[in-house]
Amino acid sequence: MTTGTLDIRYLPDAEVDAALDAELRELLSTCFTKPQDHVFRRRRYFNEMPAHRWLARDERDGRLVAHLAAHERTVLAGDRVHAAGGVAEVCVHPEYRGRGYAGRLVGAAHDWMRERGWDYSILFGEPRYYASSGYVPVSNLLLEERGSDGATVRREAGGALVFPLGATPWPDGVVVWPGPIF
């Protein structure tokens, strides 16, 4: 399998200009096609704007062909607070799939997160797509959100996949993700 020539760059979301916003929305709309994904026609995020992005362009023509976003999060395990990257909107243009681009984006994001001392990378997705990047399903992650009545509500975070970025293994017992899914 050829991986092709690919230019991967990190960019804080705050530096996304109008032209790049249009490119991102086009790529996201092309890659995500479920009915709820219509939001990408209007904005470059699903629920919450990420702080960080990795963009991959074809070095031959500069075309935006792949993307990964990351949110800065924490998770709570007992009395410990762990820094975590919430990975979202990982996509590769259909014409460029099967070349290892998603794995290269994930690797670049993991390296960046490690440099900042983050403990885990967490995403919500299909294990078959992310196992090759080291992600494993976990069943002990609970989402903690405010209900419509203002009360704190905890629910299981179905589909959660975790990649430990360093020597700290994923905790046993309940792990709490404060706030909504991105």
Side-chain angles (χ1 to χ4, degrees), residues 94-114:
E95 294 173 19
Y96 290 79
R97 291 179 183 159
R99 301 180 190 184
Y101 290 177
R104 290 172 61 189
L105 279 173
V106 168
H110 286 172
D111 290 345
W112 186 91
M113 291 176 197
R114 272 190 208 94

Side-chain angles (χ1 to χ4, degrees), residues 4 9 16 22-23 32 68 91 110 127 130 134 137 141 147 150 157:
R9 307 256 171 135
V16 173
E23 281 185 286
F32 296 108
L68 179 149
C91 66
H110 286 172
Y130 298 100
L141 182 63

Side-chain angles (χ1 to χ4, degrees), residues 1-171:
M1 165 183 23
T2 179
T3 58
T5 55
L6 190 68
D7 177 32
I8 297 176
R9 307 256 171 135
Y10 165 77
L11 183 72
D13 186 80
E15 294 181 18
V16 173
D17 62 16
L20 180 54
D21 177 72
E23 281 185 286
L24 285 166
R25 288 184 290 112
E26 176 66 27
L27 178 64
L28 293 166
S29 295
T30 299
C31 294
F32 296 108
T33 58
K34 293 179 182 170
Q36 67 269 25
D37 297 331
H38 71 279
V39 299
F40 293 123
R41 292 186 198 117
R42 295 186 322 273
R43 62 185 191 218
R44 63 183 182 265
Y45 60 94
F46 194 81
N47 283 326
E48 179 182 273
M49 186 76 75
H52 312 283
R53 294 186 185 273
W54 283 263
L55 310 174
R57 294 186 179 277
D58 185 317
E59 287 183 338
R60 294 169 296 177
D61 62 9
R63 180 179 182 188
L64 182 64
V65 298
H67 168 267
L68 179 149
H71 301 260
E72 294 184 24
R73 288 291 201 252
T74 57
V75 292
L76 312 171
D79 60 355
R80 295 222 35 220
V81 177
H82 297 277
V87 173
E89 285 105 32
V90 179
C91 66
V92 177
H93 191 282
E95 294 173 19
Y96 290 79
R97 291 179 183 159
R99 301 180 190 184
Y101 290 177
R104 290 172 61 189
L105 279 173
V106 168
H110 286 172
D111 290 345
W112 186 91
M113 291 176 197
R114 272 190 208 94
E115 289 172 7
R116 280 144 189 82
W118 295 7
D119 297 312
Y120 311 109
S121 177
I122 303 169
L123 59 80
F124 297 89
E126 293 289 330
R128 67 181 177 205
Y129 297 125
Y130 298 100
S132 63
S133 293
Y135 283 87
V136 296
V138 296
S139 59
N140 63 336
L141 182 63
L142 298 179
L143 301 175
E144 183 176 82
E145 301 174 294
R146 294 267 178 222
S148 58
D149 62 357
T152 300
V153 176
R154 286 186 177 176
R155 62 182 172 89
E156 185 179 329
L161 305 173
V162 171
F163 178 79
L165 293 163
T168 306
W170 184 252

